Amino acid sequence: MSNFSDFVHHHFDKAANELGDVEKRVLAKARERKVISTDVNAALSAESSFGERIADGIARVGGSWSFILAFLAFLAVWTLMNTIGLVANPFDPYPFIFLNLILSMIAAIQAPIIMMSQNRQAERDRFEAAKDYEVNLKAELEVLSLHQKIDMSVLTELTALREDVARLTAALAAKG
């Protein structure tokens, strides 16, 4: 356990009992040689509720050029119908009070739905950042572990070479 404590202190600059949950989980996965990365889209889709999926869908449609163009076409048709097409008996005469009511109701409903979707996107960004941190931390630990193994291998080779040189020097000295 001392070796583990030294490893933690050397690489994290804190004691093993001061590590956070993320660091402990990453260290456990690294020791078990298991993959830590996950599919963020699948993880978030599995956790999202029906209402959240609807909010995302509405925000996706409401923020598209096709919606904007379709809505402009709707406004143009409404205006033309009530000014030119139905001159004798328009159902919403100028200044289009009913149209203003409809637009206000759409805005009142659409704004909170878009905010819900933006909040989910912010949550998704935080989740992705946390996952990126975990993956980066594990990669860093693996690289450090590889460096340590290579250093140990080089030291072992150097020790063997020194012993061979000393043995050969002694053999040459004995012959000479």
Side-chain angles (χ1 to χ4, degrees), residues 37-49 52 120 123-124 127-128 131:
S37 59
T38 58
D39 181 5
V40 174
N41 292 327
L44 287 174
S45 293
E47 295 176 5
S48 65
S49 69
E52 290 170 334
R120 271 188 40 81
E123 179 183 324
R124 175 189 184 88
F127 184 76
E128 281 185 37
K131 285 297 176 187

Side-chain angles (χ1 to χ4, degrees), residues 88-134:
N89 194 11
F91 60 87
D92 187 21
Y94 182 82
F96 310 119
I97 294 171
F98 186 56
L99 177 62
N100 283 324
L101 175 66
I102 291 172
L103 294 176
S104 297
M105 290 189 317
I106 288 173
I109 292 170
Q110 192 177 23
I113 291 173
I114 290 172
M115 288 179 67
M116 285 171 39
S117 182
Q118 287 176 337
N119 288 341
R120 271 188 40 81
Q121 184 60 43
E123 179 183 324
R124 175 189 184 88
D125 292 343
R126 284 190 298 276
F127 184 76
E128 281 185 37
K131 285 297 176 187
D132 285 347
Y133 172 71
E134 288 179 9

Side-chain angles (χ1 to χ4, degrees), residues 12 19-29 36 130-131 133-135 137-138 141:
F12 288 99
L19 291 178
D21 292 338
V22 173
E23 286 88 2
K24 288 178 184 175
R25 185 172 53 249
V26 169
L27 279 170
K29 291 284 187 179
I36 200 163
K131 285 297 176 187
Y133 172 71
E134 288 179 9
V135 170
L137 181 60
K138 184 169 186 268
L141 289 172

Side-chain angles (χ1 to χ4, degrees):
M1 187 65 181
S2 174
N3 189 19
F4 176 72
S5 295
D6 291 342
F7 176 83
V8 170
H9 181 68
H10 182 263
H11 293 302
F12 288 99
D13 290 331
K14 51 182 150 180
N17 60 352
E18 295 175 356
L19 291 178
D21 292 338
V22 173
E23 286 88 2
K24 288 178 184 175
R25 185 172 53 249
V26 169
L27 279 170
K29 291 284 187 179
R31 267 192 274 157
E32 297 168 1
R33 300 278 187 224
K34 291 192 176 179
V35 175
I36 200 163
S37 59
T38 58
D39 181 5
V40 174
N41 292 327
L44 287 174
S45 293
E47 295 176 5
S48 65
S49 69
F50 180 69
E52 290 170 334
R53 287 191 303 271
I54 288 176
D56 288 343
I58 290 173
R60 189 171 28 260
V61 170
S64 68
W65 278 108
S66 57
F67 175 79
I68 292 170
L69 294 174
F71 205 70
L72 284 173
F74 167 76
L75 292 174
V77 167
W78 184 286
T79 305
L80 288 173
M81 281 180 55
N82 285 289
T83 54
I84 298 170
L86 302 172
V87 175
N89 194 11
F91 60 87
D92 187 21
Y94 182 82
F96 310 119
I97 294 171
F98 186 56
L99 177 62
N100 283 324
L101 175 66
I102 291 172
L103 294 176
S104 297
M105 290 189 317
I106 288 173
I109 292 170
Q110 192 177 23
I113 291 173
I114 290 172
M115 288 179 67
M116 285 171 39
S117 182
Q118 287 176 337
N119 288 341
R120 271 188 40 81
Q121 184 60 43
E123 179 183 324
R124 175 189 184 88
D125 292 343
R126 284 190 298 276
F127 184 76
E128 281 185 37
K131 285 297 176 187
D132 285 347
Y133 172 71
E134 288 179 9
V135 170
N136 290 341
L137 181 60
K138 184 169 186 268
E140 213 172 318
L141 289 172
E142 293 293 336
V143 168
L144 289 171
S145 176
L146 286 173
H147 275 288
Q148 190 175 22
K149 286 178 184 177
I150 290 171
D151 289 346
M152 292 305 294
S153 176
V154 168
L155 286 175
T156 303
E157 265 185 57
L158 281 175
T159 303
L161 287 173
R162 283 185 181 153
E163 289 172 359
D164 287 346
V165 168
R167 189 176 39 80
L168 288 172
T169 304
L172 282 175
K175 286 184 179 181

